[in-house]
Amino acid sequence: MSAERLLNSGTLLAMSHRYPIRLSRKIFLILFSLGLIVSLTGYVVIKRNRVHHLTIAAGSKQGESYLFSQAMAQVVAKYNPKIQIKVLETKGSKENIRLLEEKKVQLATAQADIPALPSARIVSKLFPDMFQLVVQANQLEKKQKIGCLQLIL
């Protein structure tokens, strides 16, 4: 078959189109693969270097919970600089729980006798919650019952 006949029949033209189509698919797959690799690498780098910012509602600046929260924030910053904890002064446990429920803080300190809402979870008990009732010695007899409490002096 002569070149002129092939050209007229469209066979040569069809053959010349197959090669660019296959080449463009290969180029597309190579570019797509490179784009995927670059995207995944960028995602991993960003994820690893991300700094997490947390806020803890901690009560009054003079209270134990606030002081403990500050100490905890300093220790976390020293040993894991990718976690930064901001300590927020509040009016106390009830406000802390409310702020946690409203998602304005990520952590909250609370006294053991303050009921947590269903969406809250205890992370850790920080220290035992002690309560002392103090009266003058001459105000009570040696053994006295007040309501459901029995006091023995």
Side-chain angles (χ1 to χ4, degrees), residues 42-95:
Y43 175 77
V44 169
V45 168
I46 289 170
K47 190 85 168 166
R48 275 193 177 169
N49 293 321
R50 181 177 172 210
V51 176
H52 299 275
H53 298 274
L54 301 173
T55 303
I56 183 168
S60 168
K61 284 187 178 182
Q62 293 78 27
E64 289 177 351
S65 295
Y66 188 92
L67 298 172
F68 179 83
S69 297
Q70 275 191 319
M72 181 179 67
Q74 290 171 356
V75 170
V76 169
K78 179 179 180 180
Y79 291 101
N80 193 343
K82 292 180 183 171
I83 299 175
Q84 295 181 356
I85 299 175
K86 175 186 172 187
V87 181
L88 179 67
E89 182 180 22
T90 64
K91 294 177 184 173
S93 295
K94 287 184 181 180
E95 182 181 7

Side-chain angles (χ1 to χ4, degrees), residues 30-46:
I30 290 170
L31 290 175
F32 179 77
S33 298
L34 286 173
L36 189 61
I37 290 169
V38 168
S39 297
L40 289 174
T41 303
Y43 175 77
V44 169
V45 168
I46 289 170

